[in-house]
Amino acid sequence: MEIHIETEDTNCRDDPIMKIMVKKGKIEEEPAEIIVLSHYEDLKELKGSKHVVDVALNGAITELVESKDLKGELNEIKVIYTHGQIPSKRVLLVGLGKKEELTLDNVRQASGKAIVHIRDMGIKSFVTPLHGSDELASDIVDLAQALVEGCILGVYQFTEYKTEDLDKIKEIDEFILIEEDESKISEIQQGVKVGEIIANATCFTRDLVNYPANKGTPTFLAEKAKQISDKLGLKCKILSEKDMKKLGMGALLGVAQGSDQPAKFIILEHNADKEDLDTFVLCGKGITFDSGGISIKPAKGMEEMKTDMAGAATVLGVMKAVGELELPLRVVSLIPATENLPSGKAYKPGDILKSYSGKTIEVINTDAEGRLILADALGYAAKYKPKAVIDIATLTGACVVALGHHATGMMGTDDELMEKISQTGKSTNERVWQLPLFKEYYEQIKSDIADVKNVGGRPAGAITAAAFLSKFIEGCPWVHLDIAGTEWTEKAKPYTPKGATGVGVRLLIHFLRNISEN
Ligand code: BES
Ligand code: MN
Ligand code: ZN
């Protein structure tokens, strides 16, 4: 069943685009285009480097603060010129908000805002110290990681399809993280390395989601998985439609019927042969374009459905990072990938599909396709005897109605697991919110002639979708994450530009790292 796929040479973001260096020294003595200093709200007294720079600049920072031109509010930015009074040409001051309310995410945000500001000024390099280290002194590694994440995620841009005015695209080439105290350097380097791996993995995921569907086909996702496996030594198996037929993956094949693009079932495994390690299975919805099929969607906004493989992209990003971090866990990812299109061969409302687990499904609406392809993946997951199965999917518009764009919907069968994910959501600021899976909801997906139907009517659409998925989980702890509202943003945020957010990558990596450390 092993299939070899020729890999096309595309930008896989394997190599960091921006160089990050750690250096021992004093920021006020560093020759630079611009140095970055941070400031807290309601803070009058200037200490350390800020004080030294202020004195050299004849009190310019004091004046900014006293005149309230710099309040120190989170993500506020001011740039001043030094006129040769210190070796750096400019100083950028960025607000971190209230000192006592400082969080790692504030550091991530302020770093993102600062670097984007510098980039948009047309500057290509800068020097910065750690921010927040006087406040969160014990977490040097985490602070460096947060700074690097904010910077890399903040300057992300998807420019592959631009052919005009390329000279106007601005990029930061490198930056220096500077630290006076020798004893902190190695911890900073450690944080930089982890931050680079996690942020680059998130950018990799964003790329996959941003690609148009004429590029991002199921075969393309399979190629990307193969590239990750070649580079990091993961095990990769790509099942063809013929293989799926043999295995009885009738739900995935049903959805794939209407498309001329061959469907793929992608299996990537980290520490594949170390069966003594705890196993976690990640399933990602890989609908590379969702037209709705015969139950076709309205034309308006349909282009957004190129992102219906965001779950798959997240899982691939996580695997890339898990491999690079060499996590001591066995992590398996399962990605059912296909288009959902109408055609003379397409599956139809009323059709009955037989899933991998043997359960039969009555199709009420061909636009509820994500749960069908995931049914086969979740059924397949059982063979790994996992400690947990987590699926991540752009599953329902109903989840967007319920939670909007500020939280990922979470449902599952294991409270302890959900509590852990919830906590991780807080620390990464990729927040999740649990919805209930009461047994009464299952009434809505009962079919008269099959084991289950794929739609449960309008009430609680996000929940009945999850209820449907749970029918295909064979006894292992399971959590479902609905990212329909969070995988994309129409509004740029401090470290999340417009477009694909890469949501779930940081969440799941932090979750897995926490488990591997405890
Ligand atoms: N991919 C969509 C869900 C979606 C909607 C993702 C908006 C991102 C933004 C999914 O396949 C879908 O079409 N769901 C239907 C289900 C319905 C037919 C029961 C929906 O939510 O309308
Ligand atoms: Mn759909
Ligand atoms: Zn869909």
Side-chain angles (χ1 to χ4, degrees), residues 290 297 367 369:
D290 182 13
K297 289 179 182 294
D367 197 12
E369 83 300 335

Side-chain angles (χ1 to χ4, degrees), residues 435-501:
L435 301 172
L437 260 189
F438 301 136
K439 69 176 191 314
E440 285 81 355
Y441 290 111
Y442 287 78
E443 297 294 323
Q444 286 172 239
I445 52 169
K446 277 193 176 149
S447 164
D448 290 336
I449 58 167
D451 297 328
V452 63
K453 60 183 181 183
N454 78 332
V455 160
R458 266 181 60 86
I463 295 174
T464 52
F468 177 93
L469 294 180
S470 74
K471 304 263 285 173
F472 299 88
I473 278 289
E474 311 275 351
C476 35
W478 160 76
V479 172
H480 159 64
L481 298 170
D482 192 333
I483 55 170
T486 47
E487 54 95 6
W488 187 262
T489 181
E490 289 295 337
K491 224 182 107 204
K493 291 183 222 155
Y495 56 86
T496 314
K498 239 174 112 159
T501 60

Side-chain angles (χ1 to χ4, degrees), residues 201-244:
T202 309
C203 292
F204 168 82
T205 294
R206 287 177 179 175
D207 272 356
L208 292 184
V209 178
N210 282 325
Y211 274 125
N214 59 340
K215 170 98 169 181
T217 58
T219 303
F220 181 76
L221 291 181
E223 281 168 4
K224 288 295 176 190
K226 189 75 174 48
Q227 281 175 6
I228 293 172
S229 94
D230 286 348
K231 181 123 195 288
L232 301 171
L234 310 192
K235 185 172 165 194
C236 181
K237 214 161 149 188
I238 313 291
L239 307 186
S240 67
E241 291 186 2
K242 209 172 129 209
D243 303 325
M244 295 175 216

Side-chain angles (χ1 to χ4, degrees), residues 119-294:
R119 179 194 67 195
D120 292 347
M121 288 175 78
I123 300 170
K124 295 191 148 308
S125 64
F126 64 94
V127 182
T128 181
L130 280 188
H131 304 297
S133 51
D134 40 349
E135 207 35 42
L136 300 168
S138 56
D139 296 314
I140 299 294
V141 181
D142 292 349
L143 281 174
Q145 184 188 331
L147 184 148
V148 166
E149 285 178 357
C151 286
I152 295 176
L153 295 173
V155 292
Y156 170 83
Q157 14 187 9
F158 185 71
T159 56
E160 215 174 298
Y161 288 86
K162 292 284 186 193
T163 68
E164 288 175 352
D165 296 332
L166 292 180
D167 50 323
K168 291 199 183 121
I169 296 173
K170 293 168 180 157
E171 275 173 47
I172 301 274
D173 294 333
E174 57 179 44
F175 71 86
I176 295 172
L177 226 174
I178 200 155
E179 170 60 51
E180 248 189 279
D181 183 350
E182 175 98 51
S183 71
K184 291 183 180 166
I185 297 279
S186 89
E187 279 178 295
I188 293 176
Q189 277 164 335
Q190 217 181 308
V192 169
K193 190 177 160 221
V194 174
E196 277 188 306
I197 289 175
I198 294 174
N200 283 330
T202 309
C203 292
F204 168 82
T205 294
R206 287 177 179 175
D207 272 356
L208 292 184
V209 178
N210 282 325
Y211 274 125
N214 59 340
K215 170 98 169 181
T217 58
T219 303
F220 181 76
L221 291 181
E223 281 168 4
K224 288 295 176 190
K226 189 75 174 48
Q227 281 175 6
I228 293 172
S229 94
D230 286 348
K231 181 123 195 288
L232 301 171
L234 310 192
K235 185 172 165 194
C236 181
K237 214 161 149 188
I238 313 291
L239 307 186
S240 67
E241 291 186 2
K242 209 172 129 209
D243 303 325
M244 295 175 216
K245 202 167 262 161
K246 268 189 230 155
L247 287 168
M249 293 182 165
L252 171 53
L253 286 169
V255 176
Q257 258 169 234
S259 168
D260 288 344
Q261 286 289 339
K264 304 283 172 192
F265 190 87
I266 302 164
I267 307 169
L268 249 190
E269 294 177 55
H270 168 72
N271 285 332
D273 43 11
K274 298 195 180 139
E275 288 183 27
D276 49 319
L277 292 175
D278 283 349
T279 302
F280 290 82
V281 178
L282 308 175
C283 297
K285 172 177 172 182
I287 294 291
T288 61
F289 187 75
D290 182 13
S291 71
I294 296 295

